[in-house]
């Protein structure tokens, strides 16, 4: 067999979609069987790694031992796919270029592949190969901890007996190591946050859901979800701030529209998931890593659900006030604090609830003298760009570390003052602020997409005012099973009820001789960034459907032409002003999207608007 060597940089070239006319040589490690005869592995060029999937035709080579950990393979044909933010190499043709020894061959591969090795392989191959890594990243399980098993029988409360973790794990996986190609994970993490137990209607059934945030000793945070009975049990059993060992769960790409943590993956807990209180409850190293976003980059995060962390010199303090909740008329404390950083940009941070009260006295007189760090905040388009604290936000005055010291030193040595900072949202087009109110309909001076619409959350709708965003989108789907219209009084649009004998009446008893059908129609809008379900009322629905509700009702009653009418309304572009407003539903605030205005698209005018908008962004 000819001698073949690795070429550092080949993995990078694979990710950049380069072609390899003579194939590419990589080293195999972490070889495991998945999905029958397919195998997953880690492929390395000596300096970098990429996850690999070997097609089923190579199963016999693996079974014979010719294709094993440590061997060099010459890959002739392959396909590179992306799963989440990770590249995966699907190998369809290879030859073994140099035999392996069955163990993990390179230290560069170990951080990614140690979790794939069996306990037996660990005792043979890890001792020599892991070296320093094993000492730094392993946490021995001294004794089996008290176990809350997710598949306990209904009605059983409290922990079960002591149950050893499956597979004999002595090393916990780091959250950063998790990926969707395995479910036999075992992590040790602190319960950072436990959301209130909520319900969701799935296929006519009321399903309980519990969402948790977990952080490990590297500062990595991930969101996980318990379902049904497990959600109800763990809502009572798990306690915020405690450390748990969690074994056997699924990992999937995070849905950034709904995830409230900065992570590429999220966890789905299964019926077979084991949750145990860790014997060691030391949480000193289990603090969420702080990733500061410079103030001048905050406009890029406007409307995004994922929170950010900010830090800045205190430039100005607003008065401590309250806002009355519309839901229960209770008073919610709030306070505005203006922060500035070395970009010479400033931003207003609104502190809510306990955070507004807690620092009221400490912040007085600290303008230009103190640094404030606020983690886990939401960026909104109020006044162009502003920041609002959330329930999970942590406020720290003069935090320890280089960043705070550097800011204060720069502020004093550069002879800075509050008037030398420019508000970060000042020059942004389509600013939403006090002058026109959050209820003002935009004049299409800012480019919005359905991603922006889907990103609106109850927390971002200040004072329960509606948010308006003008988008260009098509109707992607109309559910034919929904109630699309109702009988109404043509004079005022109020619903009427059939009294029999051709008589109709409003709720107050007023009789209506000739009612008409009026639309109340839910459609799924789509553009290049995503989708959103939007409700259309009569005027807007007539524009989209191209007919009155009476005509559509007649087609449905006739039994022909109804489906064709729905199809004809799809995939035509519209200019839609979407109104987003928060509503209380079963004690939970949700956002409802309604079409405030629907117009046909004038391509010439739209093109001119986009050219003007691009010029403003320069």
């Amino acid at each position: 067999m000819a001698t073949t060597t690795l070429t550092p940089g080949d993995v990078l070239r694979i990710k950049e979609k380069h072609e390899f006319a003579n194939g590419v040589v990589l080293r195999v490690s972490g070889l495991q069987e998945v999905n029958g005869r397919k195998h997953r592995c880690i492929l390395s060029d000596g300096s970098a790694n990429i996850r690999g999937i070997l097609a089923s035709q190579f199963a016999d080579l693996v079974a014979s031992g010719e294709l094993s950990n440590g061997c060099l393979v010459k890959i002739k044909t392959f396909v590179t796919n992306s799963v989440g933010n990770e590249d995966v190499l699907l190998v369809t043709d290879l030859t073994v270029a140099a035999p392996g020894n069955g163990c993990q061959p390179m230290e560069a591969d170990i951080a990614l592949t140690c979790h794939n090795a069996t306990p037996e392989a660990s005792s043979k191959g890890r001792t020599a190969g892991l070296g320093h890594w094993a000492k730094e990243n392993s946490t021995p399980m001294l004794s089996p901890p008290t176990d809350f098993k997710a598949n306990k029988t209904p009605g059983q409360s409290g922990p079960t007996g002591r149950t050893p973790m499956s597979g004999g794990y002595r090393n916990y996986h780091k959250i950063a190591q998790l990926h969707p190609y395995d479910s036999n994970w075992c992590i040790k993490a602190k319960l950072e946050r436990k959301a209130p137990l909520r319900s969701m209607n799935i296929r006519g059934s009321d399903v309980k859901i519990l969402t948790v945030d977990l952080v490990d000793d590297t500062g990595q945070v991930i969101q996980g979800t318990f379902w049904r009975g497990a959600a109800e049990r763990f809502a009572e059993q798990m306690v915020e701030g405690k450390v748990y060992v969690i074994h056997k769960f699924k990992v999937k790409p995070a849905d950034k529209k709904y995830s409230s943590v900065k992570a590429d993956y999220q966890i789905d807990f299964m019926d077979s998931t084991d949750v145990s209180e860790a014997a060691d409850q030391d949480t000193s190293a289990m603090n969420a890593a702080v990733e500061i976003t410079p103030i001048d980059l905050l406009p890029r995060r406007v409307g995004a659900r994922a929170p950010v962390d900010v830090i800045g010199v205190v430039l100005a303090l607003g008065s401590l006030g309250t806002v009355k909740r519309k839901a229960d008329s209770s008073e919610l404390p709030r306070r505005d604090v203006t922060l500035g950083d070395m970009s010479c940009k400033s931003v207003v941070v609104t502190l809510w609830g306990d955070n507004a009260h807690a620092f009221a006295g400490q912040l007085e007189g600290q303008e230009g003298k103190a640094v404030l760090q606020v983690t886990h905040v939401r960026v909104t388009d109020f006044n162009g760009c502003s920041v609002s604290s959330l329930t999970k936000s942590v406020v720290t005055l003069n935090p320890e570390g280089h960043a705070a010291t550097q800011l204060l030193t720069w502020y004093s040595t550069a002879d800075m003052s509050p008037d030398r900072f420019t508000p970060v949202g000042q020059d942004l087009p389509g600013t939403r602020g006090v002058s026109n109110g959050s209820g003002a309909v935009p004049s299409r001076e800012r480019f919005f997409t359905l991603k922006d619409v889907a990103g609106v959350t109850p927390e971002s709708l200040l004072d329960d005012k509606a948010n308006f965003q003008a988008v260009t989108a098509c109707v992607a789907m109309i559910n034919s099973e929904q109630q699309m219209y109702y009988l109404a009084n043509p004079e005022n649009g109020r619903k009427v009820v059939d009294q029999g004998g051709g008589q109709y009446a409003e709720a107050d008893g007023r009789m209506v001789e000739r009612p008409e059908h009026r639309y109340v129609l839910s459609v799924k809008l789509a553009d290049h960034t995503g989708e959103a379900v939007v409700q259309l009322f009569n005027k807007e629905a007539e524009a989209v459907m191209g007919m009155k509700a009476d005509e559509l009702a007649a087609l449905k009653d006739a039994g022909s032409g109804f489906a064709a009418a729905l199809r004809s309304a799809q995939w035509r572009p519209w200019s839609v002003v979407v109104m987003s407003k928060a509503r209380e539903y079963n004690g939970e605030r949700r956002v409802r999207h309604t079409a405030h205005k629907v117009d046909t698209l004038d391509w010439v005018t739209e093109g001119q608007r986009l050219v003007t908008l691009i010029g403003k962004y320069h």
Side-chain angles (χ1 to χ4, degrees):
M1 186 175 295
T3 301
T4 310
T5 59
L6 300 173
T7 303
D10 275 351
V11 167
L12 179 60
R13 286 185 279 273
I14 289 173
K15 294 179 179 180
E16 292 175 346
K17 312 299 183 184
H18 288 218
E19 294 186 1
F20 294 83
N22 300 316
V24 57
V25 177
L26 300 174
R27 188 187 298 277
V28 176
S29 62
L31 195 61
Q32 277 194 338
E33 183 177 351
V34 291
N35 298 331
R37 291 168 58 83
K38 290 183 181 179
H39 289 76
R40 63 163 168 255
C41 63
I42 300 296
L43 298 169
S44 171
D45 64 6
S47 64
N49 302 322
I50 187 171
R51 302 199 180 276
I53 298 292
L54 307 183
S56 57
Q57 60 262 36
F58 307 118
D60 293 337
L61 285 176
V62 176
S64 68
E66 184 178 353
L67 178 53
S68 63
N69 287 327
C71 74
L72 299 183
V73 293
K74 185 172 186 179
I75 301 172
K76 300 175 182 178
T77 59
F78 59 85
V79 177
T80 307
N81 285 341
S82 295
V83 178
N85 290 334
E86 188 174 35
D87 292 310
V88 179
L89 192 68
L90 307 178
V91 181
T92 55
D93 187 13
L94 65 76
T95 57
V96 178
N101 54 12
C103 65
Q104 307 294 351
M106 302 180 62
E107 267 190 48
D109 299 334
I110 289 171
L112 287 173
T113 62
C114 66
H115 55 273
N116 288 329
T118 62
E120 292 78 6
S122 300
S123 61
K124 297 178 182 178
R126 286 192 189 180
T127 304
L130 285 173
H132 176 72
W133 187 93
K135 296 178 183 178
E136 294 293 326
N137 292 279
S138 62
T139 307
M141 186 177 292
L142 300 178
S143 62
T146 304
D147 181 41
F148 305 162
K149 202 162 185 181
N151 56 354
K152 290 189 292 186
T153 56
Q156 188 177 359
S157 61
T160 64
R162 298 162 81 83
T163 304
M165 303 299 288
S166 304
Y169 282 94
R170 292 186 179 275
N171 294 316
Y172 303 116
H173 303 125
K174 304 301 181 183
I175 288 176
Q177 290 178 308
L178 303 182
H179 61 74
Y181 306 108
D182 203 346
S183 61
N184 198 31
W185 299 108
C186 183
I187 62 173
K188 180 182 178 182
K190 181 181 74 173
L191 180 59
E192 182 81 353
R193 184 187 74 102
K194 181 177 65 175
L197 185 68
R198 60 190 178 94
S199 300
M200 179 181 292
N201 189 283
I202 300 178
R203 299 188 184 93
S205 299
D206 188 44
V207 176
K208 300 295 184 182
I209 299 174
L210 176 67
T211 302
V212 298
D213 294 347
L214 303 168
V215 58
D216 66 8
D217 57 6
T218 67
Q220 291 289 326
V221 183
I222 195 167
Q223 192 171 86
T225 305
F226 291 97
W227 302 85
R228 300 178 175 83
E232 295 182 87
R233 288 194 297 275
F234 290 123
E236 298 179 0
Q237 296 171 356
M238 297 185 76
V239 179
E240 288 185 355
K242 282 195 172 184
V243 181
Y244 294 91
V245 175
I246 306 174
H247 175 228
K248 204 166 187 180
F249 49 81
K250 292 182 180 179
V251 179
K252 64 181 184 180
D255 189 338
K256 298 301 178 68
K257 291 190 298 184
Y258 303 106
S259 178
S260 61
V261 302
K262 294 169 287 187
D264 294 326
Y265 296 118
Q266 62 190 45
I267 293 174
D268 257 358
F269 297 109
M270 307 181 293
D271 289 340
S272 57
T273 299
D274 292 323
V275 181
S276 314
E277 282 189 26
D280 179 7
Q281 287 290 316
D282 181 13
T283 62
S284 57
M286 294 184 175
N287 299 306
V290 177
E291 300 177 14
I292 299 297
T293 299
I295 291 177
D296 61 333
L297 299 183
L298 289 176
R300 301 182 184 180
R301 307 298 297 273
V302 169
R305 182 175 175 82
V308 302
D309 306 329
V310 296
I311 190 172
V313 178
V314 178
L315 302 179
L317 298 174
S319 59
L320 181 62
T322 59
V323 173
K324 182 174 287 187
R325 293 181 186 267
K326 190 174 182 180
D328 56 8
S329 297
S330 62
E331 298 287 339
L332 180 66
R334 61 161 290 171
R335 188 173 199 180
D336 289 341
V337 181
T338 304
L339 303 181
D341 67 6
M342 295 173 68
S343 65
C344 291
K345 296 286 187 180
S346 64
V347 67
V348 176
V349 180
T350 302
L351 303 179
W352 295 92
D354 293 339
N355 285 327
H357 269 309
F359 293 87
Q362 300 178 50
L363 288 171
E364 295 298 338
Q366 293 298 308
E367 294 92 332
K369 304 175 184 178
V371 170
L372 193 70
Q373 175 181 286
V374 192
T375 62
H376 211 93
V377 295
R378 179 74 38 77
V379 184
T380 74
D381 65 348
F382 189 74
N383 282 336
C385 180
S386 62
V387 170
S388 184
S389 70
L390 303 173
T391 306
K392 295 193 292 183
S393 298
V394 177
V395 181
T396 308
L397 186 63
N398 293 323
E400 297 180 358
H402 175 69
T405 304
Q406 185 182 32
L407 270 174
L408 275 180
T409 302
W410 165 78
Y411 188 87
S412 59
T413 57
D415 196 25
M416 297 298 294
S417 61
D419 58 1
R420 296 184 64 182
F421 290 80
T422 303
V424 69
Q426 176 175 288
D427 300 324
L428 295 180
T431 296
R432 177 172 69 90
V434 177
S435 59
N436 59 358
S438 60
V441 179
S443 58
R444 296 281 278 170
E445 291 182 356
R446 181 177 169 188
F447 185 71
F448 290 103
T449 66
L450 289 180
K451 181 180 179 181
D452 298 311
V453 172
V456 176
T457 63
E459 295 85 0
S460 67
L461 296 173
L462 302 180
D463 302 328
D464 284 331
K465 292 183 179 179
N467 182 43
F468 293 84
Q469 298 178 91
V471 301
T472 300
C474 297
V475 175
M477 188 180 73
I478 304 175
N479 183 3
S480 61
E481 302 298 323
Q482 67 177 302
Q483 184 64 45
M484 300 182 183
Y485 38 72
Y486 63 97
L487 279 173
N489 184 341
E491 295 180 3
N492 54 29
R494 294 176 183 170
K495 184 177 181 179
V496 299
V497 179
D498 189 352
Q499 303 294 313
Q503 298 293 314
Y504 299 87
E506 295 182 22
D508 59 3
R510 179 183 177 184
M511 302 303 295
V512 179
E513 292 184 4
R514 302 184 65 180
E516 68 175 8
H517 289 90
R518 292 179 66 87
Y519 283 112
V520 54
L521 179 65
S522 289
V523 301
K524 181 179 287 186
L525 296 182
D527 68 4
H528 64 288
T529 65
E531 301 174 337
V533 176
V534 177
Q535 190 169 52
L536 310 179
F537 289 105
N538 195 61
K539 181 181 177 181
E540 293 73 34
E542 284 183 354
V544 170
M545 295 303 302
M547 63 178 69
K548 292 185 174 294
D550 278 335
E551 298 174 70
L552 186 64
L555 291 177
K556 188 171 184 178
D557 293 340
S560 64
F562 176 74
L566 298 185
R567 286 195 299 270
S568 67
Q570 297 177 357
W571 303 116
R572 286 189 292 168
W574 297 94
S575 175
V576 185
V577 176
V578 180
M579 178 181 72
S580 303
K581 191 170 177 61
R583 298 178 59 194
E584 291 281 345
Y585 182 77
N586 286 342
E588 182 181 358
R589 294 185 79 224
R590 298 182 182 179
V591 176
R592 179 181 180 183
H593 305 300
T594 305
H596 179 81
K597 186 178 181 181
V598 174
D599 287 322
T600 55
L601 200 61
D602 183 331
W603 292 106
V604 174
T605 303
E606 176 70 1
Q608 292 171 343
R609 183 186 76 88
L610 293 177
V611 170
T612 303
L613 186 61
I614 292 171
K616 288 184 178 181
Y617 274 93
H618 281 306

